[in-house]
Amino acid sequence: MPAVVPGPVTGYGGTPPTDAAALALAKKWIIAATPPPGVHALGAAPVGAPKQPATLVACDWLVRATKWWSTPSSNVDAAKVWLTAHPVTGLVANGTMTGPGQLSAMTERYLQKQDDSLGFEFAPTDGGKVTIRVDVTVVPADAGCASGGSAANTSP
């Protein structure tokens, strides 16, 4: 079950907003994110996996859900093509990023609320494998955001 966790911006208050719709949406998206062919679900974060999502939203509270996948490095390009062609229902592919080394990430966005997203971060590990960190981020209603993000709840 997703949990409400503090976001990267502090000072807006100590009590997280109660937003059952945001919790339900995060749970729906994390369940709907299914591994592409050749990608296997992991029960927990492997050693050396990314410690935080590839992208962060500047709000005082976020609903976040995370799960982990693994694939041989030879399957990464095929997995990215599949994920781009099969976004979670209600989301659209939003772009890719590259980082140092062979780090990369892909994002899907919710058109009704641009700060709500599903992200896939690819991080090479030992043994020719790539860990994929899958993160759902939903901004709950009444969250304070420093960016242009809207905390108004327009979740279905």
Side-chain angles (χ1 to χ4, degrees):
M1 178 75 162
V4 175
V5 297
V9 176
T10 59
Y12 285 72
T15 304
T18 302
D19 187 350
L23 287 168
L25 188 58
K27 183 177 181 182
K28 175 182 169 182
W29 287 349
I30 201 70
I31 290 169
T34 56
V39 175
H40 305 284
L42 301 175
V47 174
K51 303 278 188 236
Q52 65 183 20
T55 60
L56 298 172
V57 179
C59 298
D60 58 352
W61 292 98
L62 301 172
V63 176
R64 185 172 295 142
T66 303
K67 64 183 176 183
W68 302 91
W69 299 339
S70 179
T71 193
S73 58
S74 60
N75 188 50
V76 169
D77 290 338
K80 288 178 180 181
V81 168
W82 190 92
L83 288 167
T84 301
H86 299 90
V88 167
T89 301
L91 302 176
V92 295
N94 186 250
T96 61
M97 299 183 308
T98 57
Q102 295 178 354
L103 288 174
S104 63
M106 301 175 59
T107 306
E108 296 177 7
R109 295 267 182 224
Y110 186 46
L111 290 177
Q112 286 79 6
K113 223 170 114 190
Q114 288 294 304
D115 282 335
D116 292 356
S117 66
L118 174 62
F120 305 93
E121 183 175 2
F122 297 79
T125 58
D126 292 334
K129 295 279 188 177
V130 172
T131 295
I132 305 170
R133 180 184 170 124
V134 183
D135 284 291
V136 169
T137 301
V138 177
V139 179
D142 300 325
C145 297
S147 69
S150 170
N153 187 354
T154 56
S155 304

